[in-house]
Amino acid sequence: QVQLQESGPGLVKPSETLSLTCTVSGDSISNYYWSWIRQPPGKGLEWVGSISSTGSTDYNPSLKSRVTVSLDTSKNKFSLQLSSVTAADTAVYYCTRLSSWFGCFDSWGQGALVTVSS
Amino acid sequence: EIVLTQSPGTLSLSPGERATLSCTASQTVNINYLAWYQQKPGQAPRLLIYGASSRATGIPDRFSGSGSATDFTLTISRLEPEDFAVYYCQQYGSSPLFTFGPGTKVDIK
């Protein structure tokens, strides 16, 4: 059974870059698509971006100018970078496995709360 | 952009009752690409239904999904205590590629 675990700083200063890593265990990262989804405190879910096993990416247009998702197949990890953050980027960030057959997120990490504050 | 609307916002029911949750899309959604998730406080969402009507692995058969085009429904036939949670629908296929509805909270009456 695949397991995903987010890691990274829980506090980021405004205008800086948020960086998170997702470590995948129980399956090869080369077999699937992977995604980041975020959830501001008390609010709903927002898709951030996705990456295929070959490194092809798709991003939410509302974040596209600031987002980079990358893959490290040698370490079975994938990462998120979000630049020029503001308080509006404060959220729980989830890494997920994407089922490309059905366009849904079938496995989720526990989530990492990232707060943007000086 | 396809906007998903969920109703009601909150559903207050008792254990053993039937829950019917609605998800309406602003444009037609490919039936293969409509999913439902359950989220409990402090937990990550869990996939319940994919392809509008297929249960994900390990999901009890009291959960069922139906619908097509712009109108989709999640039904919980008999609510168990562990079913009180927030439920989200999600679509794939239109820019942005993935969107979620705002959620329906099912709470104890």
Side-chain angles (χ1 to χ4, degrees), chain A residues 39 47 94 101 103-105 108-109, chain B residues 33 37 39 44-45 88 90 98:
Chain A
Q39 184 173 36
W47 170 66
Y94 295 101
W101 289 101
C104 63
F105 308 99
W108 296 63
Chain B
Y33 299 143
Y37 301 83
Q39 186 177 32
Y88 294 96
Q90 171 253 316
F98 305 94

Side-chain angles (χ1 to χ4, degrees), chain A residues 8-27:
Chain A
L11 181 63
V12 181
K13 289 182 168 55
S15 80
E16 296 190 343
T17 297
L18 177 160
S19 296
L20 292 172
T21 297
C22 183
T23 300
V24 179
S25 58
D27 204 343

Side-chain angles (χ1 to χ4, degrees), chain A residues 1-116:
Chain A
Q1 181 180 349
V2 67
Q3 292 188 315
L4 299 89
Q5 178 68 58
E6 303 88 352
S7 59
L11 181 63
V12 181
K13 289 182 168 55
S15 80
E16 296 190 343
T17 297
L18 177 160
S19 296
L20 292 172
T21 297
C22 183
T23 300
V24 179
S25 58
D27 204 343
S28 171
I29 203 167
S30 299
N31 294 337
Y32 291 94
Y33 284 67
W34 307 90
S35 299
W36 290 95
I37 292 166
R38 71 180 185 177
Q39 184 173 36
K43 296 188 177 180
L45 300 163
E46 180 183 36
W47 170 66
V48 176
S50 299
I51 189 165
S52 73
S53 58
T54 60
S56 173
T57 53
D58 288 292
Y59 299 130
N60 191 319
S62 68
L63 301 169
K64 188 172 184 177
S65 62
R66 301 192 290 128
V67 175
T68 302
V69 179
S70 58
L71 208 61
D72 186 340
T73 54
S74 66
K75 295 182 179 178
N76 227 40
K77 296 179 179 181
F78 63 105
S79 299
L80 168 70
Q81 289 195 309
L82 181 65
S83 64
S84 304
V85 297
T86 70
D89 296 309
T90 294
V92 175
Y93 286 77
Y94 295 101
C95 60
T96 72
R97 188 176 74 177
L98 169 63
S99 165
S100 57
W101 289 101
F102 293 100
C104 63
F105 308 99
D106 62 6
S107 294
W108 296 63
Q110 66 185 27
L113 174 62
V114 180
T115 301
V116 178

Side-chain angles (χ1 to χ4, degrees), chain B residues 62-86:
Chain B
R62 65 180 180 272
F63 290 92
S64 63
S66 63
S68 63
T70 61
D71 294 297
F72 298 88
T73 300
L74 174 69
T75 301
I76 310 171
S77 59
R78 287 178 55 85
L79 282 164
E80 298 287 342
E82 62 267 27
D83 298 337
F84 292 92
V86 179

